[in-house]
Amino acid sequence: MTINYASDFMNNIFENGKERPEYLEARLKAEEILNVNGLKTSNHIDIVKLARKYGFFVATATLPSQVQGMFFFDESGEKKYFGTNYSKLIVVEDNLTTEQKRFVVAHELGHYFIDRGVVPCGEHLELRVDNHNKLAKENVFDYFAACILMPSDMVKAMISNTNITDSNSRCALVERLSNIFRVSQIVASRRIDEVNALMNSIAL
């Protein structure tokens, strides 16, 4: 079971050298949360602890086929989910790797922070079928997750002295970032491209 980015993900994020508005909003929201919680220069984001700070109970369970996460919230606190006493709940497929679980939790928080201004409550099933069946907005939440788990300033500092066009240097960097930030190598590799693009387009 894998966590997929769309193959044309970078084209989704950037247009004419700038972030598309929805991706800019996601990054700024992630950076705001990191700043508020003193995590902007952290090299390991405890995503479960962060979720708990915003009232979420995070659990793992064996979920239906192709479901990698479930997300529920009711800001009023009146509605409880699955017979629990929790009005904010994130459930992640137990069969995922630690890195994948962290990404799913961060992604679900993206749904909460970006969408809660629109609706006071919400429910969502995280389906990961393949790259091409993902809804476009799901890529925005992937971007939010990457921005939370791998803060831009930290990644920028780590890649600034690396020739990322050299395959050996890039592979070594991907492995290093994956280990430091506890994300998959897929996420680490994509984040290198994202931050490099940002460095070439705006001042972080």
Side-chain angles (χ1 to χ4, degrees):
M1 187 178 291
T2 59
I3 301 269
N4 297 318
Y5 272 108
S7 59
D8 61 347
F9 193 44
M10 293 298 290
N11 290 334
N12 290 336
I13 297 174
F14 295 94
E15 183 177 34
N16 298 323
K18 300 291 183 180
E19 289 168 295
R20 293 176 186 268
E22 61 270 33
Y23 291 96
L24 174 61
E25 176 190 2
R27 178 172 64 82
L28 293 179
K29 176 58 67 175
E31 291 177 355
E32 174 190 331
I33 294 164
L34 292 172
N35 282 332
V36 166
N37 291 282
L39 298 172
K40 189 175 181 180
T41 58
S42 176
N43 60 9
H44 172 61
I45 306 300
D46 188 333
I47 196 64
V48 172
K49 183 178 179 180
L50 186 63
R52 287 173 179 163
K53 184 167 184 178
Y54 289 93
F56 281 94
F57 181 76
V58 180
T60 61
T62 300
L63 299 179
S65 175
Q66 298 181 339
V67 177
Q68 294 189 335
M70 304 169 69
F71 157 78
F72 309 89
F73 77 95
D74 177 14
E75 290 288 6
S76 73
E78 295 179 0
K79 189 172 184 179
K80 312 298 182 182
Y81 296 98
F82 295 103
T84 71
N85 195 38
Y86 302 112
S87 295
K88 294 181 178 180
L89 181 64
I90 295 174
V91 183
V92 182
E93 166 58 46
D94 190 48
N95 194 41
L96 298 176
T97 67
T98 297
E99 293 78 12
Q100 290 172 334
K101 288 174 183 174
R102 283 169 46 76
F103 192 86
V104 171
V105 172
H107 177 104
E108 300 308 324
L109 285 177
H111 279 276
Y112 174 69
F113 285 112
I114 294 171
D115 283 346
R116 71 171 172 162
V118 180
V119 292
C121 61
E123 303 179 3
H124 177 70
L125 297 182
E126 199 58 49
L127 297 171
R128 297 288 173 131
V129 182
D130 60 46
N131 292 341
H132 304 291
N133 287 335
K134 289 175 61 178
L135 296 176
K137 194 168 184 181
E138 292 299 307
N139 288 326
V140 175
F141 302 127
D142 278 352
Y143 190 52
F144 173 92
C147 292
I148 280 282
L149 294 174
M150 303 182 72
S152 298
D153 285 352
M154 296 298 294
V155 178
K156 178 183 176 183
M158 293 179 188
I159 71 174
S160 59
N161 295 320
T162 302
N163 179 8
I164 63 173
T165 62
D166 175 74
S167 59
N168 290 332
S169 298
R170 182 186 177 91
C171 286
L173 181 61
V174 167
E175 184 174 359
R176 181 185 176 208
L177 295 182
S178 175
N179 291 333
I180 289 174
F181 293 103
R182 295 182 66 190
V183 298
S184 72
Q185 291 196 6
I186 293 173
V187 172
S189 180
R190 179 64 69 184
R191 193 70 179 129
I192 290 170
D193 293 332
E194 291 169 358
V195 174
N196 183 60
L198 285 170
M199 290 167 63
N200 291 329
S201 64
I202 61 173
L204 288 175

